[in-house]
């Protein structure tokens, strides 16, 4: 129970860490097109941008500055007017005018009338336009134009134009001594009114409706478009104050989590992945993570350093590399679901996510099915050729649909896709690195082990030729059976080649080697042994085979086949002899007459057990006929089922029926009856 919890805990921790890391990468690598930086006058290189929501267009800084200048220039200034000051000034002037000549008296009188006609202010009015609010008291105020009010500069200009013959310095000296402004400026009241006026100014010049085209790809960003883009960015940031932080990250976690969960659940339910095999889970997640990292980094550097929009460099992302590697390490189902998962996942950061998923996702799905049977190294190159064809057909088909014309097809994308195919050749050296890192064997390794010049197989052929021939026959049976029920034919074949290498320890004690090892001159060596001793020798070939496999660093799958190819079945011949001659002792030694196991846990291991049993037992049937062969196959398979030897394997009843038929056809071909020819009788002379 504790071991199971630790296994599940490690797997769950790895999955959660993967989701967290990938979500962070994709959040960092993704930027909405309406938050991109731009410069007025540049060309818009991103896809056509439509308004994602309704927003207002802000006025430009020049428009706002001009509007504020106009407001200040035409704004109403507030003055407190004292109506008593004009009469008081005129009384003082009458006393002063008696000592001046008539022209000066007339000029000063008219100047006072001009200054106090609407009001003399205490602030300069030069350059100001608009109106003035004259407040007499709390209940009375008057609005006049600023041009009606007079300041000292305006008064001096009026005097110069009206009485140019008089000395202006004398006039100004007299007026300065008596003039008192009757309109005093109130900056606080004016500021309050200005703030109210500013608040009433709209910051917008228009509105953009949801779905409205803002800018097309390839168009120049002129001033109106730039202002729309700027306004869209401000509106987006206002609606999404936590953009790029926890909220966005949480959304990405949900997307990556559901994609990852769907893929892993599919693989678990189809018996392609198990939490018991932590290394395989880590391998799958590591490949997913590496492809995502490569995609995000490539996308980031492309947008930073390559700013040309005519060559779609994003098609260089080697998405197919991940599913191809997983197909080689697992099978085509793992590669297929990986193509969907990775295609959907990395499309999140692409500018054209639909195009990228169709071109790369679908092409990769087709390619991994080409790798269903990888029995020669050339099959990998055939798969890459299939990838190139898939790229061509799907890319052209997608853009023919989108563009509706052959003249508008983006032909520059095809060379980029073909370069992507060459990048996928990196798969071959990467396989070796992954095998050493995760200690998991790929189809490439199994292809290398098909060579019968392997030291173990050469030694088996030399020391135990009967066992070697038996292994070759079992390999042919296992491969055909695996092909029939959708198991791994290559793996089953190689497992069968090595399943009996443990017989190298004592080849003369196995029946298939009696004649070849002794050259027909030595009797059965078991005659001089007890049944228990003979059973021990036979039983030990499993453990010694495991030892040899580990010493020669054979893949875990092959060692698993060596361990389980007899399961926990009886060493039947010696067990029956022991029971018949010494039944009481037999019950005490029962476990010594059983193979150590474990039971087969994969389809390939179950196929190996049945193929080994049937190939060896069929040789002992005298006068073999098709009827005898079929009954024998059914009997032996049912016997293994009754013993529970197949209960841990994922083989179904329907598949067992298919295995019966393929074993029958293969064994019938292997042991077919030959025509006997009568020797020619010598003629009597």
């Amino acid at each position: 129970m504790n071991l199971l919890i630790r296994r599940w805990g490690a797997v769950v921790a790895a999955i959660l860490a993967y989701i967290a890391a990938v979500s962070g990468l994709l959040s960092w690598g993704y930027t909405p097109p309406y938050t991109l930086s731009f410069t007025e006058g540049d060309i818009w290189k991103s896809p056509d941008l439509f308004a994602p929501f309704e927003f207002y267009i802000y006025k430009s800084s020049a428009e706002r500055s001009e509007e504020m200048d106009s407001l200040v220039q035409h704004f109403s200034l507030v003055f407190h007017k004292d109506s008593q000051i004009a009469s008081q000034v005129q009384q003082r002037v009458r006393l002063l005018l008696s000592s001046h000549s008539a022209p000066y008296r007339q000029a000063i009188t008219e100047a006072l009338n001009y200054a106090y006609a609407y009001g003399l202010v205490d602030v300069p009015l030069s350059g100001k336009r608009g109106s003035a609010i004259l407040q007499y008291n709390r209940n009375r105020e008057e609005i006049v134009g600023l041009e009606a009010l007079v300041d000292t500069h305006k008064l001096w200009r009026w005097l110069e134009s009206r009485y140019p013959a008089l000395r202006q310095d004398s006039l100004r000296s007299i007026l300065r001594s008596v003039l008192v402004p009757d309109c005093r400026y109130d900056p606080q009241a004016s500021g309050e009114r200005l703030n109210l006026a500013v608040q009433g100014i709209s910051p917008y010049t228009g509105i953009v409706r949801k779905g409205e085209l803002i800018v097309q790809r390839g168009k120049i960003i002129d001033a109106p478009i730039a202002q729309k883009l700027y306004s869209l960015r401000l509106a987006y940031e206002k609606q999404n104050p936590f953009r790029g932080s926890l909220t966005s990250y949480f959304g990405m976690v949900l997307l990556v989590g559901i994609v990852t969960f769907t893929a892993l659940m599919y693989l678990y339910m189809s018996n392609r992945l198990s939490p018991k095999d932590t290394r395989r889970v880590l391998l799958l997640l590591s490949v997913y993570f590496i492809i995502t990292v490569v995609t995000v980094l490539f996308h980031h550097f492309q947008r930073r350093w390559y700013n040309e929009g005519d060559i779609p460099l994003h098609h260089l992302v080697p998405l197919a590399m991940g599913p191809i590697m997983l197909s080689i390490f697992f099978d085509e189902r793992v590669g297929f679901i990986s193509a969907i998962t990775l295609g959907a996942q990395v499309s999140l950061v692409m500018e054209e996510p639909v195009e990228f998923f169709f071109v790369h996702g679908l092409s990769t799905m087709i390619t991994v099915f080409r790798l269903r049977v990888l029995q020669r190294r050339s099959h990998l190159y055939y798969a890459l050729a299939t990838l190139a064809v898939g790229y061509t057909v799907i890319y052209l088909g997608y853009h023919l649909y989108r563009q509706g014309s052959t003249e508008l097809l983006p032909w520059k994308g095809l060379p980029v896709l073909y370069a992507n195919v060459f990048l996928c050749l990196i798969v071959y050296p990467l396989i070796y690195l992954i095998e050493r890192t995760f200690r998991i064997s790929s189809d490439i390794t199994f292809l290398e082990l098909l060579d019968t010049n392997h030291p173990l197989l050469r030694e088996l052929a030399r020391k135990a030729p009967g066992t070697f021939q038996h292994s070759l026959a079992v390999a042919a049976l296992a491969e055909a059976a695996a092909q029939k029920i959708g198991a791994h034919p290559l793996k089953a074949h190689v497992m069968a080649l090595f399943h009996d290498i443990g017989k190298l320890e004592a080849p003369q004690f196995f029946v298939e080697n009696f004649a070849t090892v002794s050259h027909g001159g030595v009797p059965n060596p078991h005659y001089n042994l007890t049944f228990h001793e003979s059973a021990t020798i036979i039983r030990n070939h499993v453990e010694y085979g495991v030892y040899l496999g580990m010493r020669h660093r054979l893949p875990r799958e092959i060692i698993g086949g060596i361990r389980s190819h007899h399961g926990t079945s009886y060493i039947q011949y010696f067990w029956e002899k022991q029971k018949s001659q010494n039944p009481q002792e037999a019950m005490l030694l029962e476990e010594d007459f059983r193979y150590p196991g474990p039971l087969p846990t994969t389809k390939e291991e179950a196929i190996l057990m049945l193929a080994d049993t049937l190939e060896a037992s069929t040789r002992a049937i005298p006068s073999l006929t098709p009827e005898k062969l079929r009954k024998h196959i059914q009997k032996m398979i049912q016997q293994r089922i009754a013993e529970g030897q197949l209960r841990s394997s994922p083989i179904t009843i329907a598949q067992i029926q298919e295995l019966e038929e393929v074993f029958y056809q293969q064994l019938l071909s292997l042991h077919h009856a030959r025509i006997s020819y009568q020797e020619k009788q010598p003629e009597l002379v």
Side-chain angles (χ1 to χ4, degrees):
M1 184 65 180
N2 292 334
L3 179 60
L4 182 62
I5 292 175
R6 286 198 299 270
R7 283 176 176 171
W8 275 101
V11 170
V12 171
I15 294 172
L16 293 179
Y18 164 80
I19 293 173
V22 168
S23 300
L25 280 169
L26 295 177
S27 298
W28 171 71
Y30 172 70
T31 302
Y34 32 89
T35 63
L36 296 174
S37 59
F38 59 89
T39 303
E40 185 177 338
D42 286 348
I43 295 176
W44 182 257
K45 298 181 178 64
S46 298
D48 295 352
L49 179 60
F50 296 87
F53 47 80
E54 184 176 280
F55 65 94
Y56 289 96
I57 305 173
Y58 284 89
K59 295 175 181 175
S60 65
S61 57
E63 291 174 329
R64 291 195 302 271
S65 177
E66 182 180 350
E67 195 168 25
M68 284 298 298
D69 291 342
S70 176
L71 177 64
V72 171
Q73 292 291 334
H74 298 84
F75 180 66
S76 297
L77 302 180
V78 179
F79 296 91
H80 294 287
K81 184 170 184 178
D82 190 345
S83 57
Q84 302 296 323
I85 290 179
S87 59
Q88 294 174 359
V89 170
Q90 288 176 352
Q91 290 177 3
R92 292 176 59 193
V93 167
R94 290 191 191 101
L95 298 175
L96 295 174
L97 291 179
S98 58
S99 61
H100 291 79
S101 62
Y104 279 94
R105 289 197 299 270
Q106 182 181 354
I108 291 173
T109 301
E110 288 185 3
L112 292 176
N113 292 335
Y114 174 75
Y116 290 110
Y118 287 98
L120 179 65
V121 299
D122 60 346
V123 293
L125 298 177
S126 177
K128 292 184 174 60
R129 289 174 292 178
S131 59
I133 300 174
L134 305 179
Q135 293 183 342
Y136 294 90
N137 52 50
R138 292 182 179 178
N139 300 322
R140 181 189 172 195
E141 64 180 28
E142 179 184 5
I143 300 177
V144 298
L146 280 176
E147 67 274 5
L149 299 179
V150 178
D151 61 5
T152 54
H153 296 288
K154 185 177 181 181
L155 179 59
W156 305 150
R157 289 195 302 271
W158 181 83
L159 282 171
E160 288 176 357
S161 63
R162 182 75 173 172
Y163 297 100
L166 298 177
R167 293 182 60 181
Q168 297 297 317
D169 54 347
S170 299
L171 289 174
R172 292 178 183 181
S173 177
I174 296 171
L175 288 172
R176 283 194 187 101
S177 65
V178 297
L179 284 176
V180 177
D182 63 342
C183 295
R184 296 191 178 278
Y185 176 65
D186 187 345
Q188 182 177 355
S190 299
E192 291 176 355
R193 288 177 180 266
L194 179 62
N195 290 335
L196 291 174
V198 170
Q199 292 175 6
I201 297 176
S202 173
Y204 311 114
T205 60
I207 189 172
V208 176
R209 303 294 181 184
K210 181 179 180 180
E212 181 179 338
L213 177 63
I214 298 175
V215 58
Q216 286 181 309
R217 185 170 191 164
K219 294 293 184 181
I220 296 177
I221 304 175
D222 55 18
I225 292 177
Q227 199 57 34
K228 287 182 180 180
L229 293 171
Y230 172 74
S231 301
L232 175 58
R233 181 192 296 174
L234 291 180
Y236 177 78
E237 291 175 352
K238 184 177 180 180
Q239 290 188 13
N240 303 271
F242 299 107
R243 167 73 185 100
S245 58
L246 186 60
T247 303
S248 177
Y249 178 73
F250 179 71
M252 190 63 73
V253 166
L254 292 179
L255 291 176
V256 175
I258 192 65
V259 169
T260 305
F261 174 80
T262 302
L264 294 178
M265 183 56 66
Y266 169 80
L267 296 176
Y268 175 74
M269 296 182 67
S270 60
N271 296 313
R272 280 346 187 243
L273 210 60
S274 171
K276 296 179 181 179
D277 199 343
T278 308
R279 278 181 292 186
R280 287 183 172 271
V281 177
L282 291 177
L283 169 60
L284 180 77
L285 296 179
S286 297
V287 171
Y288 280 21
F289 181 74
I290 291 171
I291 296 298
T292 305
V293 169
V294 171
T295 301
V296 171
L297 291 178
F298 185 89
H299 184 65
H300 173 73
F301 290 125
Q302 176 201 356
R303 294 181 59 181
R304 184 172 180 178
W305 290 329
Y306 180 76
N307 206 24
E308 298 294 333
D310 55 342
I311 300 178
L313 284 184
H314 60 276
H315 284 307
L316 273 178
V317 174
L319 172 70
M321 189 184 301
I324 287 175
M325 283 194 295
L326 293 174
S327 296
I328 293 173
F329 278 100
F330 294 89
D331 60 17
E332 77 282 355
R333 289 195 182 185
V334 180
F336 183 81
I337 193 64
S338 298
I340 299 173
T341 303
L342 282 173
Q345 188 165 283
V346 302
S347 294
L348 293 172
V349 297
M350 293 297 170
E351 294 179 356
E352 293 282 355
V354 177
E355 180 211 33
F356 188 86
F357 179 78
F358 265 85
V359 173
H360 291 265
L362 292 182
S363 299
T364 305
M365 293 179 203
I366 298 171
T367 303
V368 296
F369 281 117
R370 188 68 178 83
L371 289 168
R372 184 178 184 183
V373 179
L374 187 64
Q375 293 183 336
R376 290 191 297 272
R377 293 174 179 83
S378 59
H379 287 169
L380 178 60
Y381 301 106
Y382 294 155
L384 293 180
T386 304
L387 180 64
V389 173
Y391 278 158
T392 304
V393 174
I394 298 173
Y395 181 79
L396 293 179
Y398 178 83
H399 285 286
L400 280 174
Y401 162 71
R402 288 292 303 272
Q403 306 295 342
S405 171
T406 56
E407 297 178 357
L408 300 176
L409 286 176
W411 295 102
K412 292 182 179 180
L414 285 177
V416 179
L417 288 169
Y418 297 149
N420 185 311
V421 175
F422 282 101
L423 282 177
C424 289
L425 289 172
I426 303 175
V427 165
Y428 205 87
L430 282 179
I431 288 172
Y432 179 81
L433 179 63
I434 293 175
E435 286 181 331
R436 293 299 176 265
T437 302
F438 292 94
R439 290 185 295 168
I440 297 176
S441 301
S442 67
D443 283 0
I444 304 298
T445 298
F446 289 115
L447 280 174
E448 294 171 351
L449 292 173
L450 278 178
D451 188 357
T452 54
N453 283 320
H454 188 281
L456 281 175
L457 297 181
R458 283 206 314 268
E459 189 176 3
L460 188 67
R462 182 174 61 85
K463 291 184 177 181
T467 300
F468 180 72
Q469 294 300 322
H470 161 73
S471 298
L472 293 177
V474 173
L477 284 176
E479 181 177 352
Q483 186 76 40
K484 183 68 175 180
I485 66 170
H488 201 300
L490 177 61
K491 189 182 297 184
H493 186 109
V494 177
M495 287 167 62
L497 286 180
F498 288 88
H499 79 284
D500 269 345
I501 57 174
K503 293 180 180 180
L504 284 171
E505 185 178 31
Q508 69 276 15
F509 286 92
F510 295 90
V511 64
E512 67 269 21
N513 297 315
F514 283 177
T516 55
V517 173
S518 64
H519 302 288
V522 178
N524 189 337
H526 290 283
Y527 289 160
N528 300 322
L529 302 176
T530 65
F531 301 132
H532 182 266
E533 291 173 338
S534 295
T536 300
I537 293 174
I538 300 299
R539 186 177 187 271
N540 285 344
H541 89 275
V542 173
E543 296 176 354
Y544 187 67
V546 171
Y547 163 74
L548 288 177
M550 290 182 172
R551 194 178 74 178
H552 286 263
R553 296 183 179 181
L554 294 180
R556 292 186 310 115
E557 293 85 349
I558 295 179
I559 294 176
I562 296 172
R563 278 197 176 104
S564 63
H565 75 277
H566 285 297
T568 58
S569 61
Y570 286 104
I571 304 171
Q572 198 68 38
Y573 177 82
F574 296 108
W575 172 241
E576 295 297 336
K577 290 290 186 179
Q578 180 71 26
K579 284 195 302 181
S580 63
Q581 296 189 14
N582 196 344
Q584 295 179 348
E585 183 181 355
M587 301 309 296
L588 299 176
L589 300 175
E590 180 178 357
E591 290 302 316
D592 293 341
F593 286 85
R594 282 183 179 274
Y595 287 102
L599 299 178
T601 57
T602 66
K603 288 183 179 180
E604 292 78 19
E605 290 178 358
I607 289 171
L608 176 59
M609 169 184 279
L610 296 177
D612 179 51
T613 300
L614 291 172
E615 202 286 326
S617 60
T618 302
R619 292 176 181 271
I621 301 177
S623 304
L624 184 66
T625 63
E627 293 76 14
K628 284 184 179 181
L629 178 61
R630 186 177 292 278
K631 290 180 180 180
H632 175 71
I633 292 173
Q634 293 174 347
K635 173 186 174 183
M636 295 305 298
I637 292 178
Q638 291 303 317
Q639 181 178 330
R640 288 290 180 259
I641 294 175
E643 293 173 354
Q645 299 298 315
L646 301 179
R647 66 174 179 267
S648 297
S649 66
I651 289 185
T652 64
I653 298 298
Q655 290 173 338
I656 288 176
Q657 293 175 349
E658 291 179 322
L659 289 177
E660 288 181 359
E661 183 61 29
V662 73
F663 284 140
Y664 171 75
Q665 296 294 337
Q666 292 293 317
L667 288 171
L668 185 63
S669 175
L670 185 63
H671 298 285
H672 65 279
R674 299 181 180 273
I675 299 174
S676 59
Y677 296 92
Q678 294 183 353
E679 294 184 3
K680 186 177 180 180
Q681 297 295 329
E683 295 182 1
L684 297 176
V685 179

